[in-house]
Amino acid sequence: MRPYVRDKKTFSQSEVPENTCFEAGYLVSVNSGWRSIRPVIDNAKCVGCQQCYLYCPDGVISINDKKAAIDYDFCKGCGICAKICRLNAIRMESER
Amino acid sequence: MANTADSISREEYFYGHKACAGCGGSLAVRAALKVLGKNAVSVLPAGCMSAVGFNFPQLCFSNNSIISTFAGTASMLTGVEAGLRARGFKDFTAVGFAGDGGTADIGIQALSGAIDRNDNIIYICYDNEAYMNTGIQKSGLTPFGAKTTTTPAGKNIHGNIRPKKNMFEIAAAHDIPYAATASVGYIDDFIAKVRKASQIQGTKYIHVIAPCPTGWGVPVDETVNIAREVVDSGLWYLAEYENGEFKLNRKPKEFTSVADYLKKQGRFRHLSDEDIDIIIKSRDKKWEYIGKNFKFD
Ligand SMILES: Cc1ncc(C[n+]2csc(CCOP(=O)(O)OP(=O)(O)O)c2C)c(N)n1
Ligand code: SF4
Ligand code: SF4
Ligand code: SF4
Ligand SMILES: [Mg+2]
């Protein structure tokens, strides 16, 4: 399980300043809009070595059934995964 | 060899953060928390990792986490550890993530105090070699020659004129139970060191090089490669301090080119051949010292 996007709560003035503690892992916005390019996994080439998973700064890669999968809501398109993959199983494609 | 990926939690504890694409600091924080797990209580001072992690109500840490004063990472860790212990909690790790400025300059006194008391905490300095969150000012860990907004590169002075402080050996000089250096480019080594630190009683200090593409002037997909190259060229080293002894973990057979490492980065592009020579000489001097004083097996 990873943190997921929830509804943005509304706060009244009196709730906020007194106590800025809040639930951990509470996400209200995605990062997908930051991307100009997106990583695309070639399942035929991916061997599930998990190197891309280890090095993704945003933690958006998971390994399911020995194949890498990307959470495009939070991937920023940095391209680190594509450079890490020794099998060239990740290609960066332009976002339209 | 067992895959490091299988040794850490599948959960993500630093997720949805607003760090720049390719941020090395965020990789360090993410990896360390995946070692320590959900019972890690993290403390972050002012700096990029708190700025990108806590944007109320977007809270990107899914473990308990708190912002400290800029100077007080280590003292807040002391309080967190003592408080939880007093309330009867046993299974937790108090871990700090502070930048190079927050560690080597402004937070050094609190850190020194915590080590002196031997509080049971892990202090991780993610070193991006400048005050990045406020727009790239020189810190005590900015290397010689680097251009920052406070050490500009001009005709007469070519960026920072001072060498990088030796924080690893400063921490070790307290005779701390465990200190280590690392780089996000060698993530398996970093993960192993965080795990080792979590199993040692007392204060632990880990200094991890975490490139900042924005401040270093490198493409965002080069973070990991440049974090490897700084080690491969001998300008950084992977080592540990334990039981009163220094140990080198990785000895490059032959150093890769220092000039190549520097010229890839906007912050060093202005350096002259003479400047690069100074950097190579200081590297060689450091390795002579390591050869004499660090064990390697
Ligand atoms: C006492 C105090 N002085 C200055 C600041 C402004 N400030 C916030 S973040 C920051 C830079 C932190 O640099 P570093 O510790 O290297 O972390 P980085 O941002 O590079 O990750 C500064 C100067 C502050 N928040 N508090
Ligand atoms: S690095 Fe490449 S081969 Fe390995 S899991 Fe990722 S995509 Fe698959
Ligand atoms: S492009 Fe960057 S953020 Fe996206 S999956 Fe690859 S490494 Fe992660
Ligand atoms: S400025 Fe640098 S350290 Fe800060 S979030 Fe961006 S890449 Fe990371
Ligand atoms: Mg910094």
Side-chain angles (χ1 to χ4, degrees), chain A residues 25-26 28 31 71 76 83, chain B residues 15 18-19 58-59 61 222:
Chain A
Y26 199 97
V28 294
N31 296 335
D71 177 355
K76 291 171 187 156
K83 281 214 168 156
Chain B
Y15 203 75
K18 303 295 179 184
Q58 175 104 344
L59 296 174
F61 289 91
E222 273 299 309

Side-chain angles (χ1 to χ4, degrees), chain A residues 1-4 8-9 11 16 19-31 34 48-61 63 71 74 76-80 83-84 86, chain B residues 3-6 8-23 26-27 30-31 34 56-64 184-188 191 220-225 228:
Chain A
M1 246 273 294
R2 53 190 65 212
Y4 56 96
K8 196 164 191 163
K9 281 188 180 170
F11 302 95
V16 181
N19 191 356
T20 52
C21 294
F22 202 61
E23 199 177 323
Y26 199 97
L27 306 183
V28 294
S29 63
V30 297
N31 296 335
W34 295 26
C49 71
Q50 316 199 63
Q51 285 301 299
C52 55
Y53 160 73
L54 275 176
Y55 280 100
C56 171
D58 292 83
V60 302
I61 301 180
I63 307 287
D71 177 355
F74 290 100
K76 291 171 187 156
C78 68
I80 287 177
K83 281 214 168 156
I84 284 289
R86 290 199 198 97
Chain B
N3 195 328
T4 301
D6 294 323
I8 53 177
S9 171
R10 291 281 159 193
E11 311 265 323
E12 297 294 338
Y13 298 100
F14 191 37
Y15 203 75
H17 56 72
K18 303 295 179 184
C20 313
C23 170
S26 66
L27 176 54
R30 169 187 173 238
K34 282 168 77 75
F56 185 79
Q58 175 104 344
L59 296 174
C60 301
F61 289 91
S62 50
N63 59 309
N64 280 307
V184 295
Y186 290 102
I187 205 83
D188 300 46
I191 285 173
V220 292
D221 59 357
E222 273 299 309
T223 302
V224 172
N225 288 337
R228 287 181 182 166

Side-chain angles (χ1 to χ4, degrees), chain B residues 75-91:
Chain B
S75 43
M76 188 173 274
L77 282 168
T78 296
V80 164
E81 192 277 330
L84 288 171
R85 187 159 34 85
R87 293 185 56 194
F89 289 94
K90 291 202 168 69
D91 180 23

Side-chain angles (χ1 to χ4, degrees), chain B residues 46-49 70 99-102 106 126 128 130-134:
Chain B
C48 275
M49 290 308 108
F70 201 2
D100 46 288
I106 187 163
Y126 67 92
N128 52 28
Y131 290 86
M132 293 308 180
N133 192 53
T134 37

